[in-house]
Amino acid sequence: MRIVCQKCAAAYAIDDKLITAKGVRAQCPRCRNLQLVRRDPSAVPAAGAPAPASQPAAPVTLTPVSGAAPADDLFGDFGAPPPAAPAPGAAPAPKPARGEGRSGSDLFGDFGAMPSPAPASAPPVDPFASVGTPASGGGGAGAEDPLLDFLGPPPSAPQGLESQTSRPAKPAAAKPATSGCRVCQKPLTDSFDQALGICDDCRQPGSAHAPAAASRPAAPAGNSDFLPPLGGGSASVAQASEPTPGAESRSGARVPISTDIIPDMGPEPRSGLRASSPQLGAEPRSGSRSAPVLVTDGRSRGGKGGLVAGLVGLVVVGGGVGGYFLHQQQQEASRRQAGPPPVAAIPDAVQAVLPRWKLKYLEIPGTSAERLAQGQQQLARDERFAYAEAEESFQQALVLDPTSDAAIAGYVQALALGRGARMDDATFQEARALLSAAESRSGRMAPLLLAHANLLLARSGQPEQARPLAEELLARAELPDAQKAEAHLVLGRTWLSSSRELARSHFDSAQKLSPDIKRLHYYRALAHASGGEYSAALDTLRKRLETSPKDWESLALTARIYQEVGEPAEARKLYEARVKAEPGELRALLPLAMLRYQVEGNAAGAVRDLRALMKNRARYDEPEVAEVLVHLAAAERTAGSQDAAVKSAEEALQLVKGLPEAHLQLFLVALGRRDAVMARTHLPGFRGQLEDGALEKVLEGRLLLLEKKPLEALAAFQEAVKLDARRLDAQLLAGVAAASAKRREDAFRALHQALQSDPLRLEPRPATSAYWLRPRETVEGVEGAILALSEGPEDPSPLLYEGLLRFHQHQFDAAERHLRSVLEVDANNAGALAYRSLIALQRGAIADARRLGERSAAVGRQMPVSHLAHGLALAEARQVEPAKRALRDALALAPTLLSAQARLAQLESARGKGVARDTLVKVVGLDPAYLPAKRMLYLLER
């Protein structure tokens, strides 16, 4: 078969018998180039021809032949297998002329050719010798193309299918010279030479016109073949699978095998030891391009295989890039399909309030974060109206974002600080449920713990539950100073009723951490007031008002202290000063009207002032106008104008739906009119809203009595006594309810307990209140039921207890008449004598009071009220020591007689203020609403 040297383009003949199935190494006699020669797969061996035996590792002698590659097939030899060797003994063909082995139409025949370096001392080694070595016993496509052998057959052809026959070579016409060599100016007729701009002679290393070797870059050591070797070879003919280390000079022509479709990866060294792994480096391009190895019959078989391999390479590279982007798209699609991370389900407590609040706020401007920030700003103002505004802002924030636990914390905080004890049970339980839901989602956050502690202090009245929460907060080192101050403030409030020193200590710590807390001065003043230090409390508040005259909370507390210690005139001066500084200020004008009808007893004057405020109602907001109308209704009802009171209260309800103060006034009007239906309508409007749970039970019992349900009323009154044992009115009403039910024993048992209670204190009353009831209003209109239990004229008990009821109604004439009737039947009735003594004191009949009291104490040695009446009469008669002994006797029998303790302390103050003060402080600690003791303490300090 004929072959062409890949280096010098010399044509030779080689015996087919010398070529094994895997190919042999053949050495060119001219340039000593070694190349791989394979059997022509298209040649059909003769029948019975013996297979060529393995040859020793010696170079095969090549016989030169004449001939050239097809001139017009630019890619005919692309990856073509080597031709078959010529027959043994054939004469070598003469060396073809320069450029004879290339067709003139092969534009890229010499593209990238390299100059031949100096001959190496070691035998040359072809670095591509083992690339594409066919498998043993080859035949077919895999044996013809090294890259196809590596990659396998194309997808469209079955495994092992013979490749298609090469298309026949076409003769090409020579092209005229269009340019000259840039070195020797020789006309260039070859397309490749024209593309390079240099002739083949000048590209040869030995040419006189060849560029100097020093100008060429030195080839780096190592092998930069990008395909790993499939085998090796020696300097002589050997099996392609046998590796032969060595160096090969890459001078001469370059063989365009099928791997040439892979782009050049950089300079490629061609000398030195063959590396075990490919190394990319610089590739010298000097020297002539090696001629392609041709098949003698002129058919090309590697063109399509190389094209397929190139396409496969492009597919692999493009597939890798496309696969990466496809993977990214799939990940993005998965994320979009998965959607946002799952949001925790909204707790039931939050779902329970959302529908109601959504109806309340149909249109909410802004975002949840904006509503939250506004609520925080309103909380920071520390004002009564600001707390109500903050409550609404936090509700709106939670409606916009049901997952906002910060909104829950702010809402409960505003609720606790704003409503305080006025919070109803339903709202209190709802707030606790919201806190539990928030803590289950966010853990024990500091704002949640603070809100929980303030809620417990405002409603439950059990500081032991709030104290651990504040202590837990203070144990956190990372807690900000503002929240630490709030925690100290909570702890101080928990100690107000039991340890004034601890309360003051915590308030001092809070002031150091956050001096701007307005409530701090308020609670510090409360600490002084709880200890009976009213002068100190007033001084603290006065200093605060000097620096901040518009601190209405401090102003209101100062006025309240003055009222509690019996100085309402001082309170009036405070508010009048504010009105003078700010004319038309409702927060000063409204308290002045309240003083008139709640403290001074001037209901008509209060009505006049409140109506004057209503003339300027356009200056105020609707909630403020509603508050004025409620007080107007209370003042008109106190003045006896029931119809006007109803009109004012109903107008207030039109402005603010569900206003509990207005519902209370309408309920009391209906109760006075004995209109059970109307009263029942308004009872739910204030239930749970009053600051006194026992009072609510008393009012409910009164309605049940009106509805002719005495047994249910009895249960309500008994519940009121359990809630607050100080409520003598509940004890009396329990007796009335039992009497109405014709239960004599139960009635007398309840009334006897009332007889032994403190006669100078019917009910605990605040100095002023938005939920106004007239004094003794709870026991009005129930007279006569006890007398119905009488069994005859000789039965003194109904008369005695009826007289007791009339005494507490301040109907002294009727009470005196009933008590006289008792003494006519039982002259030594200690109870009747004691209360007649007290009536005499009320009328100023000191002598009669002393005489009756002495008789009562003589016959009722085991009755505390007898000794109390006697001691009070002696005190008014200026008999101090006998009065002290009588009062001590009363306290020995009933230590809870606060009136006895207060009067005894007043008598002992002449000898030593310390003892008197301790006694009065004890009284105030037992009952902060006992105003006579506060009055005495204030006088002692002055």
Side-chain angles (χ1 to χ4, degrees):
M1 62 177 292
R2 295 176 57 193
I3 63 173
V4 178
C5 178
Q6 299 173 347
K7 182 176 182 182
C8 64
Y12 298 96
I14 187 171
D15 190 358
D16 292 341
K17 298 180 180 179
L18 298 178
I19 304 176
T20 63
K22 295 184 178 181
V24 296
R25 296 282 185 180
Q27 189 175 38
C28 178
R30 178 186 177 191
C31 64
R32 311 302 296 175
N33 176 51
L34 282 174
Q35 67 186 55
L36 177 66
V37 178
R38 295 175 180 170
R39 184 181 301 169
D40 184 6
S42 63
V44 181
S54 301
Q55 299 296 327
V60 177
T61 303
L62 300 177
T63 304
V65 297
S66 61
D72 60 339
D73 190 358
L74 298 179
F75 301 97
D77 61 322
F78 194 78
K95 180 179 178 182
R98 186 78 63 184
E100 183 181 352
R102 296 181 298 271
S103 171
S105 63
D106 188 2
L107 299 178
F108 303 96
D110 292 329
F111 189 81
M114 300 177 295
S116 301
S121 59
V125 178
D126 185 7
F128 289 117
S130 60
V131 177
T133 303
S136 59
E144 294 165 354
D145 195 302
L147 188 58
L148 291 181
D149 181 70
F150 178 77
L151 298 175
S156 62
Q159 183 71 22
L161 189 66
E162 291 287 331
S163 60
Q164 299 178 3
T165 58
S166 303
R167 62 179 179 273
K170 300 179 181 178
K175 297 181 180 179
T178 58
S179 62
C181 175
R182 67 173 178 269
V183 177
C184 64
Q185 304 303 322
K186 176 182 176 179
L188 300 178
T189 60
D190 187 77
S191 302
F192 188 80
D193 293 345
Q194 293 174 5
L196 295 179
I198 187 171
C199 66
D200 189 86
D201 294 336
C202 295
R203 289 202 304 272
Q204 295 299 325
S207 173
H209 302 290
S215 63
R216 303 184 185 96
N223 191 351
S224 62
D225 290 343
F226 50 85
L227 290 177
L230 301 179
S234 63
S236 59
V237 176
Q239 299 296 333
S241 60
E242 298 176 1
T244 304
E248 179 184 356
S249 175
R250 182 72 186 254
S251 63
R254 179 178 176 185
V255 180
I257 61 174
S258 59
T259 56
D260 286 347
I261 63 172
I262 303 178
D264 187 11
M265 305 301 292
E268 179 180 28
R270 296 302 178 186
S271 63
L273 293 176
R274 186 176 182 86
S276 58
S277 60
Q279 301 289 332
L280 303 180
E283 180 181 18
R285 295 298 180 183
S286 61
S288 61
R289 177 178 174 85
S290 59
V293 178
L294 301 178
V295 182
T296 56
D297 58 0
R299 293 179 299 173
S300 174
R301 295 183 174 272
K304 184 165 184 177
L307 181 60
V308 171
L311 292 176
V312 170
L314 291 176
V315 169
V316 171
V317 176
V321 176
Y324 171 78
F325 288 105
L326 179 61
H327 174 72
Q328 295 296 325
Q329 293 176 356
Q330 290 176 347
Q331 293 293 328
E332 181 65 23
S334 299
R335 285 192 292 268
R336 289 197 301 267
Q337 189 174 14
V343 180
I346 300 176
D348 295 340
V350 179
Q351 291 181 353
V353 302
L354 286 180
R356 187 173 72 252
W357 292 355
K358 287 180 180 179
L359 290 176
K360 184 178 179 181
Y361 309 108
L362 297 178
E363 295 183 2
I364 304 176
T367 63
S368 176
E370 293 174 351
R371 298 291 94 196
L372 191 65
Q374 183 178 11
Q376 296 292 351
Q377 293 175 358
Q378 291 163 344
L379 269 183
R381 287 165 54 188
D382 268 354
E383 298 176 358
R384 177 186 172 189
F385 291 103
Y387 292 139
E389 295 171 357
E391 183 180 326
E392 294 182 354
S393 297
F394 289 124
Q395 286 177 345
Q396 294 172 2
L398 191 62
V399 168
L400 294 174
D401 182 11
T403 64
S404 176
D405 293 328
I408 293 178
Y411 165 69
V412 177
Q413 182 83 338
L415 199 67
L417 298 178
R419 298 194 189 183
R422 295 180 297 130
M423 190 188 316
D424 60 282
D425 290 333
T427 304
F428 174 73
Q429 296 300 334
E430 183 179 84
R432 294 197 71 173
L434 288 173
L435 287 174
S436 299
E439 289 180 2
S440 66
R441 291 190 302 192
S442 303
R444 299 178 70 80
M445 293 170 39
L448 292 174
L449 293 179
L450 282 173
H452 198 174
N454 282 308
L455 181 68
L456 292 173
L457 285 176
R459 187 72 176 94
S460 67
Q462 298 179 357
E464 295 79 9
Q465 297 180 5
R467 192 175 299 143
L469 299 177
E471 291 174 347
E472 178 182 346
L473 286 172
L474 290 177
R476 300 181 182 181
E478 73 281 1
L479 198 69
D481 289 345
Q483 293 181 346
K484 285 183 180 179
E486 291 284 350
H488 278 294
L489 201 58
V490 169
L491 275 178
R493 293 176 61 191
T494 62
W495 293 111
L496 274 176
S497 58
S498 56
S499 177
R500 297 186 303 275
E501 296 303 323
L502 283 176
R504 291 172 185 171
S505 174
H506 284 292
F507 292 151
D508 291 340
S509 300
Q511 188 173 17
K512 291 179 182 178
L513 292 170
S514 182
D516 297 332
I517 299 181
K518 298 179 181 179
R519 284 173 290 126
L520 179 61
H521 305 280
Y522 179 86
Y523 292 123
R524 189 186 291 278
L526 283 180
H528 290 301
S530 65
E533 301 173 351
Y534 298 108
S535 297
L538 292 172
D539 289 341
T540 301
L541 293 170
R542 190 178 298 111
K543 292 178 182 178
R544 171 63 182 169
L545 291 174
E546 289 175 356
T547 58
S548 180
K550 295 185 178 182
D551 185 359
W552 294 101
E553 295 296 325
S554 297
L555 180 64
L557 179 58
T558 305
R560 194 188 83 186
I561 292 176
Y562 275 127
Q563 296 171 45
E564 290 179 347
V565 299
E567 298 289 341
E570 296 295 328
R572 175 168 288 278
K573 290 179 182 179
L574 283 175
Y575 287 119
E576 288 176 348
R578 293 311 309 158
V579 170
K580 185 177 180 180
E582 299 181 53
E585 177 57 56
L586 183 63
R587 285 176 288 185
L589 293 171
L590 185 58
L592 285 173
M594 292 172 63
L595 280 173
R596 285 197 183 278
Y597 79 93
Q598 293 189 15
V599 178
E600 300 170 356
N602 187 359
V607 170
R608 184 173 56 253
D609 293 344
L610 291 169
R611 290 191 181 279
L613 286 176
M614 290 302 299
K615 292 179 180 179
N616 298 321
R617 62 185 301 171
R619 300 174 53 185
Y620 311 123
D621 297 333
E622 287 188 354
E624 296 174 334
V625 174
E627 188 176 10
V628 173
L629 287 170
V630 165
H631 286 287
L632 179 58
E636 287 171 333
R637 190 176 59 81
T638 304
S641 302
Q642 305 299 319
D643 293 337
V646 170
K647 181 180 178 181
S648 298
E650 289 178 347
E651 186 178 355
L653 286 176
Q654 291 177 359
L655 294 176
V656 179
K657 297 184 181 300
L659 191 62
E661 298 95 320
H663 280 294
L664 176 62
Q665 298 303 320
L666 291 171
F667 174 86
L668 293 173
V669 170
L671 204 62
R673 291 175 173 177
R674 306 188 70 82
D675 186 349
V677 176
M678 179 180 175
R680 176 60 65 179
T681 301
H682 293 285
L683 176 64
F686 65 85
R687 178 181 288 166
Q689 301 286 339
L690 304 185
E691 300 176 4
D692 190 344
L695 175 59
E696 289 185 14
K697 286 296 180 181
V698 169
L699 295 175
E700 182 181 357
R702 286 298 312 269
L703 175 59
L704 291 170
L705 277 177
L706 186 61
E707 294 175 335
K708 308 300 182 181
K709 300 176 181 178
L711 292 180
E712 296 180 21
L714 175 61
F717 294 135
Q718 290 174 344
E719 182 66 22
V721 175
K722 290 180 181 179
L723 292 174
D724 189 353
R726 302 173 299 172
R727 296 209 71 97
L728 179 56
D729 56 348
Q731 297 175 12
L732 291 169
L733 291 170
V736 171
S740 300
K742 306 302 181 181
R743 300 175 65 167
R744 179 184 173 93
E745 296 299 326
D746 292 339
F748 290 169
R749 186 182 302 112
L751 292 170
H752 181 74
Q753 184 181 0
L755 185 67
Q756 303 298 325
S757 298
D758 195 333
L760 303 184
R761 165 77 167 296
L762 177 66
E763 59 196 358
R765 291 180 59 85
T768 57
S769 174
Y771 301 95
W772 168 251
L773 281 83
R774 297 192 307 269
R776 300 168 297 278
E777 189 170 4
T778 55
V779 294
E780 291 179 356
V782 294
E783 56 275 0
I786 300 174
L787 290 175
L789 296 177
S790 176
E791 296 179 349
E794 302 298 326
D795 187 4
S797 296
L799 294 171
L800 174 64
Y801 295 130
E802 184 70 19
L804 176 65
L805 176 62
R806 297 300 182 94
F807 172 84
H808 287 292
Q809 290 177 339
H810 278 208
Q811 297 180 13
F812 296 129
D813 294 338
E816 178 75 15
R817 185 173 64 252
H818 289 301
L819 294 175
R820 284 180 180 272
S821 300
V822 171
L823 292 175
E824 290 175 0
V825 177
D826 182 5
N828 294 324
N829 191 298
L833 292 170
Y835 274 90
R836 282 195 65 192
S837 175
L838 294 174
I839 292 173
L841 283 176
Q842 292 289 336
R843 292 173 173 175
I846 304 300
D848 291 341
R850 177 184 174 187
R851 176 178 56 84
L852 292 170
E854 185 176 356
R855 286 180 58 190
S856 177
V859 298
R861 296 184 179 274
Q862 299 301 318
M863 184 173 287
V865 69
S866 297
H867 295 285
L868 176 63
H870 187 208
L872 293 176
L874 291 172
E876 290 297 327
R878 312 274 181 170
Q879 297 182 11
V880 177
E881 295 302 324
K884 290 181 181 179
R885 287 195 298 268
L887 293 172
R888 291 191 183 102
D889 292 340
L891 290 173
L893 295 172
T896 58
L897 283 175
L898 299 184
S899 57
Q901 294 186 32
R903 189 57 171 146
L904 180 60
Q906 186 179 15
L907 294 175
E908 291 178 341
S909 63
R911 296 175 51 184
K913 292 184 179 180
V915 177
R917 175 179 172 77
D918 292 342
T919 303
L920 293 172
V921 168
K922 181 181 178 182
V923 171
V924 172
L926 292 173
D927 185 3
Y930 195 72
L931 302 184
K934 292 185 175 182
R935 170 68 177 172
M936 295 177 189
L937 276 172
Y938 179 70
L939 294 176
L940 282 178
E941 290 180 353
R942 295 183 62 182

